[in-house]
Amino acid sequence: MKNRSDVPDPLEALQKKLAGFGDYSLRKTYYPELQQRQEELERLKAFIDHSNDALFLVSVVSGLIVDVNESACRQTGWSRPELLVKSIFDLSALGSCPDALTLIKAPQENSGERALAVTDLFRKDGGRFPAELTLNRMYFHDVAYVLAVARDITERKRSEEALRQSEDFLKNIVDNIPAMVFAKDATDLRYVAINKAGEGVFGYPREEMLGKKDHDFFPEEQAAFFSQKDREVLARGELLEIPEETIKTRSGEDRILRAKKIPLFDSQGKACYMLGIAEDITDRKHLEEQLLQSQKMEAVGQLAGGVAHDFNNILMVIMGYGNILKMDPALEALQKARVEQIIDAAEKAAQLTRSLLSFSRKQEMNPRVAILNDLVQQVQKFLIRIIGEDIQLVTDLDPSDPLVRIDSGQIEQVLINLATNARDAMPQGGTLTIGTGLLAVDTSFVQAHGYGKPGRYALITVSDTGCGMDEKTKSRIFEPFYTTKELGKGTGLGMAIVYGIIKQHNGFIHVYSEPQIGTTFRIYLPLIEMEQQEAGEIIAPAPPKGGTETILVAEDNREVRELVREVLTSFGYVVISAEDGLEAVEKFKANRESIKLILMDIIMPKMSGKEAFHEIMQLDADVKIVYSSGYTQDIIQSRDVLDTGAELIMKPVQPIELLRKVRELLDR
Ligand code: ADP
Ligand code: MG
């Protein structure tokens, strides 16, 4: 319990003193002074009581409250007598403030005279309020006390909280803006703010960026560009738009941004911050480019296809009349040779137009369900011949055996064209890798890559370790007649044909290339799901089988003749060649016993294929024949060049198809 007599109350002491004076006259003498002292004391008390702050005089070590002002009673709701029996620790959470505890409970010589604490004060009604306490050691008559001045900071806390909330709200807004927002100070362009989208694109966490400059993150050239623009905005004091700028993100990726930079002014009108708002337009840019590219291809394709189609018809007429003229017995040898030149040139032109037709997707398609891996395995044999000995061929086939609906001949053509280019790209040798796989394309893939259509695809990848291409070449390779090869070496049609064929299969093709490192083509072909495929629908193209039979090949074009001979002999056949119809008849006469099959070009000098065959039929009615022609089947048939029902192989001759046809006929 508390001993009241301990309390040195100056007023009480004075009164005691006065009581000792019995003499009235003396009392009378002192009265005015007493009166004055009394008033001073009352004023002092009023002064203390009127303080807004609650004052507690606390006894050191015990923590007991020995005096309080009125404000203390008002704020806590306890009366003075109630308070004077409490300890300051009953009244507040000061017990958890170490400095205050030391000051009151364990005062040491050098432990300091002051402590500050922000803590809660408890009210009589059970409530509490936050207060800021200033604790000061004081001595009275050599006794140590602590004077605790408590200020109610409820209001301040409330406004701090309100401020924090509004800050949070603003931060939330800024953070959730789906655009990059950042600010830099005007003096040295250090980052002072950056939102979530900004972190996302830059790839650096906020804490890492704040206080640093562009030079700390981005390549020299980019950082210099950003700084230059920032300075420009601050100097001009107005918004600046930057339609396109590239930044290298933390992961090393290049992103294209569209930015707006805005100066922020202080109250004196001085630009003190640079506010930036930027949007990542990389994907949109790619889509635009892709769209532009496909529109270009579409337009070129339409033009090329239209021209080729009409042109082909004109060539038919030229060749038709050429052939009639050539057979005119009145022609002299020289004239005849010239007519042959004309027909020859027209034949070449026709071949060109055929390439164009396949680019513009006007080619006839004969789609069948096929096992992609089988197809790749079959073409492999030819690819090895094409690429030569210095280039190694590696295949990497997906064990899940993707099924596709394709025109096998055309897809073989695609692989042959790609392998031919790969060979040209690796004159010093290297590796050509052909792989298959499965891939699901979803909308995010389409968005990220800027091409494709959602769905499941079979994938063919063709990679080489060759010279690669720069961006400019890459963007043009599918254009017909675009070639980087020297005159006479490249036609610029290989990739255009690939493009046309893939498009016609509802697939798409993507090229990735690094100069000096290599190129990878990725071909996506719509996948046939196992469930949807009807039993027995798969017609796996039989692998081409060879044989030992003798075949007569009549073909006037030397290159085609050599190709056919090579393909057939490498599969075991014996080939007898003839350069024209007349020679074909002669060679047949000389070898009629051994020849089991005749492969005959329809249009040849000296004697047409059809005439030659009629002559041969006189010698052996059972001999088997297959015609080859560069004209589409309908045209040949409608012109009655062929006997109906005769077998026909279209040029350009595709090796696998040729082998299959030959075997099929021999086995018939
Ligand atoms: P061509 O082979 O007759 O030049 P293409 O249409 O086949 O025509 O190819 C066009 C161009 O594409 C080539 O000239 C070459 O510059 C480039 N190209 C195609 N494939 C590759 C490759 N695998 N590596 C490097 N460049 C290639
Ligand atoms: Mg080529």
Side-chain angles (χ1 to χ4, degrees):
M1 269 312 285
K2 196 167 145 174
N3 187 349
R4 293 286 295 131
S5 67
D6 285 354
V7 185
D9 186 335
L11 187 65
E12 221 171 305
L14 188 65
Q15 273 167 351
K16 269 184 194 158
K17 256 192 202 165
L18 285 174
F21 292 107
D23 191 321
Y24 171 75
S25 63
L26 256 180
R27 235 186 277 173
K28 210 177 165 185
T29 317
Y30 280 105
Y31 189 75
E33 195 195 329
L34 285 172
Q35 186 85 29
Q36 196 190 336
R37 288 277 178 97
Q38 173 84 25
E39 275 171 18
E40 272 174 21
L41 281 171
E42 275 166 8
R43 197 169 61 222
L44 191 65
K45 185 165 185 309
F47 193 49
I48 290 170
D49 282 342
H50 272 86
S51 156
N52 237 348
D53 293 342
L55 304 184
F56 302 89
L57 192 63
V58 177
S59 177
V60 159
V61 179
S62 70
L64 286 172
I65 296 169
V66 293
D67 205 352
V68 294
N69 69 347
E70 229 166 59
S71 199
C73 303
R74 203 170 54 237
Q75 290 184 24
T76 61
W78 271 293
S79 68
R80 187 178 147 87
E82 282 170 330
L83 283 174
L84 295 192
V85 294
K86 287 187 190 305
S87 137
I88 188 75
F89 299 110
D90 301 332
L91 198 72
S92 68
L94 260 191
S96 50
C97 306
D99 284 357
L101 266 178
T102 319
L103 196 68
I104 299 168
K105 286 277 189 191
Q108 264 136 33
E109 275 301 300
N110 45 9
S111 70
E113 299 287 299
R114 257 186 128 210
L116 280 176
V118 174
T119 187
D120 277 359
L121 285 191
F122 309 144
R123 276 201 309 259
K124 189 177 180 181
D125 62 10
R128 49 165 70 199
F129 60 92
E132 188 183 73
L133 275 92
T134 317
L135 305 163
N136 273 298
R137 170 104 37 88
M138 60 173 271
Y139 294 90
F140 194 73
H141 289 289
D142 287 340
V143 182
Y145 300 90
V146 166
L147 175 66
V149 181
R151 176 162 297 173
D152 182 347
I153 54 169
T154 313
E155 259 324 299
R156 198 208 296 171
K157 279 251 157 153
R158 198 172 290 148
S159 55
E160 271 174 13
E161 176 61 22
L163 191 65
R164 204 180 54 77
Q165 274 181 5
S166 93
E167 262 176 16
D168 274 1
F169 179 64
L170 281 178
K171 192 169 159 285
N172 224 344
I173 292 182
V174 173
D175 251 353
N176 285 293
I177 292 176
M180 308 167 62
V181 178
F182 51 88
K184 300 176 193 171
D185 70 49
T187 356
D188 47 9
L189 299 177
R190 290 178 193 279
Y191 281 92
V192 293
I194 177 162
N195 75 342
K196 231 189 263 167
E199 283 181 304
V201 175
F202 290 148
Y204 297 95
R206 193 171 316 197
E207 308 77 62
E208 210 170 300
M209 290 203 84
L210 295 182
K212 298 228 183 83
K213 305 182 192 183
D214 285 327
H215 289 271
D216 298 320
F217 304 102
F218 308 116
E220 187 52 42
E221 207 179 308
Q222 288 178 4
F225 176 79
F226 300 153
S227 301
Q228 181 220 323
K229 291 289 168 196
D230 293 346
R231 294 262 169 245
E232 201 178 318
V233 176
L234 291 165
R236 295 216 315 227
E238 56 189 42
L239 179 146
L240 182 76
E241 283 196 48
I242 300 147
E244 235 171 74
E245 58 182 20
T246 306
I247 61 153
K248 201 172 256 337
T249 67
R250 183 185 214 163
S251 61
E253 202 188 344
D254 282 328
R255 305 298 295 182
I256 306 165
L257 305 183
R258 167 172 301 162
K260 285 194 173 81
K261 294 192 164 177
I262 305 140
L264 297 183
F265 301 99
D266 63 11
S267 52
Q268 267 88 54
K270 188 171 155 267
C272 52
Y273 293 108
M274 197 291 303
L275 170 69
I277 300 175
E279 194 189 350
D280 183 351
I281 55 166
T282 317
D283 292 350
R284 196 197 310 159
K285 273 299 277 192
H286 286 171
L287 279 179
E288 271 171 21
E289 275 163 18
Q290 204 67 32
L291 185 67
L292 223 65
Q293 176 78 4
S294 71
Q295 281 172 340
K296 182 178 81 181
M297 296 305 285
E298 203 59 42
V300 174
Q302 215 156 32
L303 178 69
V307 172
H309 188 262
D310 291 357
F311 199 61
N312 213 29
N313 288 342
I314 298 168
L315 287 172
M316 291 294 164
V317 177
I318 295 175
M319 287 158 91
Y321 282 106
N323 278 305
I324 295 169
L325 184 60
K326 194 181 72 183
M327 280 170 245
D328 189 338
L331 276 192
E332 284 171 23
L334 181 66
Q335 289 167 320
K336 199 166 172 181
R338 284 176 181 159
V339 173
E340 271 160 20
Q341 293 275 349
I342 293 173
I343 297 170
D344 214 38
E347 172 77 36
K348 284 204 181 98
Q351 244 174 49
L352 199 68
T353 55
R354 269 192 302 279
S355 300
L356 279 178
L357 283 173
S358 64
F359 160 65
S360 63
R361 287 171 263 157
K362 292 232 165 82
Q363 242 193 0
E364 221 175 284
M365 267 247 288
N366 186 14
R368 294 265 176 88
V369 177
I371 298 169
L372 194 57
N373 288 356
D374 289 359
L375 179 104
V376 172
Q377 260 158 351
Q378 284 161 26
V379 194
Q380 208 175 327
K381 300 184 188 112
F382 295 101
L383 300 188
I384 289 171
R385 288 225 176 85
I386 289 168
I387 59 182
E389 281 163 9
D390 295 339
I391 296 171
Q392 202 198 345
L393 178 70
V394 177
T395 50
D396 175 16
L397 305 181
D398 191 299
S400 61
D401 256 352
L403 282 184
V404 281
R405 186 186 302 278
I406 52 170
D407 181 317
S408 302
Q410 289 191 10
I411 298 298
E412 283 160 10
Q413 180 76 54
V414 164
L415 292 173
I416 289 168
N417 289 8
L418 291 177
T420 312
N421 283 343
R423 177 201 62 201
D424 294 347
M426 299 185 281
Q428 251 65 272
T431 309
L432 173 67
T433 311
I434 300 184
T436 58
L438 290 177
L439 193 100
V441 166
D442 55 16
T443 39
S444 65
F445 176 100
V446 178
Q447 250 161 26
H449 293 76
Y451 60 84
K453 228 181 175 171
R456 288 184 26 96
Y457 287 86
L459 189 67
I460 310 175
T461 53
V462 179
S463 298
D464 64 58
T465 54
C467 61
M469 296 167 245
D470 56 21
E471 280 301 318
K472 199 172 144 265
T473 306
K474 217 178 82 180
S475 69
R476 299 194 57 187
I477 52 169
F478 297 119
E479 284 173 29
F481 304 115
Y482 177 79
T483 177
T484 57
K485 292 167 195 170
E486 57 192 83
L487 203 69
K489 273 213 160 166
T491 59
L493 284 170
M495 291 309 300
I497 290 171
V498 167
Y499 181 88
I501 291 176
I502 302 301
K503 275 273 151 166
Q504 206 171 9
H505 280 78
N506 293 320
F508 44 97
I509 178 167
H510 178 248
V511 50
Y512 177 79
S513 188
E514 296 258 12
Q516 309 315 324
I517 293 179
T519 304
T520 298
F521 288 96
R522 293 166 74 84
I523 295 168
Y524 300 77
L525 296 171
L527 192 69
I528 296 186
E529 304 291 353
M530 271 300 184
E531 307 88 67
Q532 77 184 61
Q533 143 240 328
E534 286 157 34
E537 200 195 341
I538 311 178
I539 299 164
K545 277 190 243 139
T548 51
E549 290 92 341
T550 301
I551 300 169
L552 172 63
V553 175
E555 164 66 62
D556 59 329
N557 182 307
R558 193 180 55 81
E559 281 164 38
V560 179
R561 196 169 60 236
E562 286 308 309
L563 172 74
V564 172
R565 168 198 276 284
E566 207 199 312
V567 169
L568 292 175
T569 49
S570 63
F571 273 73
Y573 296 105
V574 178
V575 171
I576 296 172
S577 310
E579 286 181 29
D580 54 57
L582 209 58
E583 195 184 347
V585 177
E586 279 159 15
K587 290 255 167 103
F588 186 81
K589 269 186 197 153
N591 302 280
R592 58 187 291 178
E593 294 311 315
S594 55
I595 291 172
K596 295 286 176 294
L597 178 74
I598 303 167
L599 186 70
M600 183 105 76
D601 189 7
I602 292 176
I603 292 155
M604 279 186 296
K606 298 196 182 146
M607 187 185 279
S608 82
K610 197 177 162 184
E611 289 167 327
F613 186 58
H614 275 287
E615 297 244 333
I616 289 170
M617 286 266 280
Q618 310 293 311
L619 304 165
D620 178 356
D622 290 334
V623 71
K624 291 171 178 169
I625 175 132
V626 51
Y627 287 110
S628 67
S629 168
Y631 312 106
T632 66
Q633 198 140 11
D634 337 341
I635 293 170
I636 295 159
Q637 269 160 8
S638 69
R639 298 209 171 198
D640 194 30
V641 179
L642 260 187
D643 305 308
T644 38
E647 287 297 331
L648 181 74
I649 280 190
M650 295 303 300
K651 285 199 271 186
V653 175
Q654 285 166 13
I656 297 175
E657 194 198 333
L658 171 72
L659 283 168
R660 267 184 219 128
K661 195 77 147 213
V662 163
R663 195 63 254 161
E664 187 192 313
L665 277 168
L666 286 170
D667 292 343
R668 207 178 258 177

